[in-house]
Amino acid sequence: MTTRPYEVRVQLGDASVRMFAANDRMNQMLIEHLEAAAWRAKPLGKTRTIAAIFTHMHNVRCKWVRLTAPHLKVPALLNRAHCTPEQARAGLAESAGSLRGDAGGSAGRRWWAHREVS
């Protein structure tokens, strides 16, 4: 029995949702267990702070939702200069939820499931 293209997209969509959820749990744990002094510590060279990395990740997700899934609510952007670890955790949870479909019921899951398979 062969798998139809739609069934493959649904399977990939479900796997993507699970992988994205696992990635979000890891990000949440990293921030939760991070030493407070490390959040804004300036690394050597032209490297971003940890605060800037996590706020950038959230803001890119927001842009992705806005551009590719207009039916989903776009979370508020975070300001990397003033973002606290708690704000980053809340923002990341919201943006991950938007992409997984938690925020819009099954809309996000349908969006993942219908993405083109390359």
Side-chain angles (χ1 to χ4, degrees):
M1 173 187 224
T2 60
T3 305
R4 289 190 235 144
Y6 175 77
E7 292 170 353
V8 170
R9 285 194 301 269
V10 170
Q11 291 168 1
L12 288 174
D14 291 343
S16 296
V17 169
R18 287 191 307 275
M19 288 184 293
F20 203 84
N23 176 265
D24 186 56
R25 285 192 304 273
M26 288 185 281
N27 289 331
Q28 293 289 336
M29 289 189 327
L30 284 170
I31 296 173
E32 180 183 354
H33 295 288
L34 186 67
E35 293 288 332
W39 183 247
R40 294 224 180 272
K42 183 67 177 144
L44 297 174
K46 294 184 178 184
T47 306
R48 293 179 181 181
T49 64
I50 292 171
I53 291 168
F54 280 110
T55 56
H56 174 73
M57 186 183 331
H58 167 75
N59 292 342
V60 168
R61 287 177 181 176
C62 293
K63 182 177 181 179
W64 211 48
V65 170
R66 181 177 55 82
L67 294 175
T68 62
H71 60 284
L72 297 177
K73 179 182 177 279
V74 179
L77 297 178
L78 296 174
N79 181 322
R80 71 177 176 192
H82 304 290
C83 185
T84 65
E86 295 76 22
Q87 291 169 328
R89 289 186 69 206
L92 286 167
E94 185 178 6
S95 61
S98 292
L99 291 172
R100 284 193 316 260
D102 297 350
S106 63
R109 288 187 187 277
R110 285 195 308 273
W111 174 71
W112 276 102
H114 296 306
R115 299 301 297 166
E116 289 299 318
V117 179
S118 319

